[in-house]
Each structure stands twice: as structure tokens, then as C-alpha cells.
Amino acid sequence: NLAFVCKLTEEADAALFGRVSHKLLDDYWPNAKDRANATNAEIAFSNWYNNTTKIVFSKTLSPENLVNTIIIRENIASEMSKIKEGSGKDILIFGSPSISQILMELDLIDSYWIFINPIIFGKGVPLFTEQTNKSKLKLLATKPFANGEFALNYVVENRL
């Protein structure tokens, strides 16, 4: 599945995270390419991660030792609108359901790649919650994986 994600990163030059998701990914991916048993996909994703702009929503994250990182502490709507209006490729969100909820409410998500895993955790943060803004989604593509996982690609067709 990581090889598939690497195909998605070819169209993106920025990744968006909440503080917790950023910490999880930043602890692993910068050096994943240097591991002796790293796969081609791990090397490709590690290289992409190291070269991409990381946008992190956090009121407490310190900018020290962060490379290619923009920290958004407030004014999410205006800061993200500025970034989206700028030149560049797509922005991908990894994890961060609470950030996704904020961006959905602000109508700042244009398309979704939702991965459905054949695992029931029993708890967790839901991706979709009570939203005042409603959007009609159009299914563009599906991608099944050998482990039973599915990736679903939706585009926002219109705001309801």
C-alpha cells in the first residue's frame, strides 16, 4: 500500500498534519531511507517526506530543528486559503482526523482518498462528525489491496 501512496505523493508537494500525526511520522520517515532493509517504497516515501513542505497545526510545537515546516497556530481558514492559492501541487493530509474535520467545516478539502482497513479498533477519532457544511461527493476511483484494504477516491462535486 505504501507503493500506492508513493504514487499519490507524485502529485503533491506538501503534507498537512496535526501535532500528534506530525510527531509520529517525523520520528520515523526522515531516516527510513537509510535503514538496511528499507524497501523501494520506503526509500521513495522517505525522500518525498524529507523534501516536501510540512504544514502542521499546533499551538505548542516548537519550530526548532524543523525543516521545510510551516506551523499554523491560529487563523486556520485564512492561512490555509493563502497556501492553497499559492503555486504548487496538491496538499495531502495523513491521519489527523480532527484537522480534517476543521478543514471540512471550512470547505477547504477538494478531494478525498479514504483508506478502509479490515481492522476494527473499537475506538478512535471519527473522520466524519457533525458538520454544518454538507458536500456531495462523487466517487472517482477505487483501489483494492491484497490485504483486504480499499482506497476510495472522492471529489467534492458541490457544496449542499
Side-chain angles (χ1 to χ4, degrees):
N1 303 0
L2 184 57
F4 179 74
V5 171
C6 287
K7 289 180 185 176
L8 298 179
T9 63
E10 292 172 5
E11 301 299 321
D13 61 1
L16 193 145
F17 309 93
R19 180 187 52 79
V20 173
S21 294
H22 175 262
K23 172 89 172 103
L24 289 171
L25 273 73
D26 208 56
D27 282 349
Y28 181 79
W29 286 109
N31 299 312
K33 63 182 176 29
D34 301 324
R35 289 177 169 66
N37 60 348
T39 65
N40 289 339
E42 289 170 327
I43 293 167
F45 190 83
S46 180
N47 286 329
W48 177 81
Y49 184 87
N50 288 330
N51 292 310
T52 198
T53 299
K54 283 148 298 280
I55 304 163
V56 183
F57 291 16
S58 175
K59 293 181 188 265
T60 60
L61 186 65
S62 171
E64 298 166 12
N65 301 320
L66 296 178
V67 179
N68 297 334
T69 303
I70 298 167
I71 300 173
I72 297 178
R73 300 189 190 285
E74 54 191 29
N75 303 321
I76 292 171
S78 63
E79 293 298 318
M80 283 307 301
S81 292
K82 283 186 223 171
I83 291 169
K84 281 185 69 173
E85 290 169 8
S87 62
K89 296 180 176 183
D90 292 343
I91 302 168
L92 299 177
I93 301 173
F94 293 97
S96 306
S98 59
I99 299 305
S100 297
Q101 292 165 5
I102 292 168
L103 296 175
M104 280 185 256
E105 187 65 27
L106 296 171
D107 286 331
L108 291 172
I109 297 179
D110 301 316
S111 67
Y112 297 85
W113 271 103
I114 299 172
F115 289 73
I116 299 175
N117 292 283
I119 299 170
I120 298 175
F121 291 108
K123 64 179 181 176
V125 178
L127 176 58
F128 301 105
T129 59
E130 296 281 332
Q131 299 285 322
T132 57
N133 296 325
K134 306 292 182 208
S135 298
K136 183 176 180 184
L137 303 178
K138 179 180 179 183
L139 182 63
L140 295 182
T142 62
K143 171 71 176 160
F145 298 98
N147 67 350
E149 183 178 12
F150 268 86
L152 306 170
N153 182 213
Y154 291 95
V155 66
V156 176
E157 193 169 64
N158 56 31
R159 313 288 187 211
L160 301 175

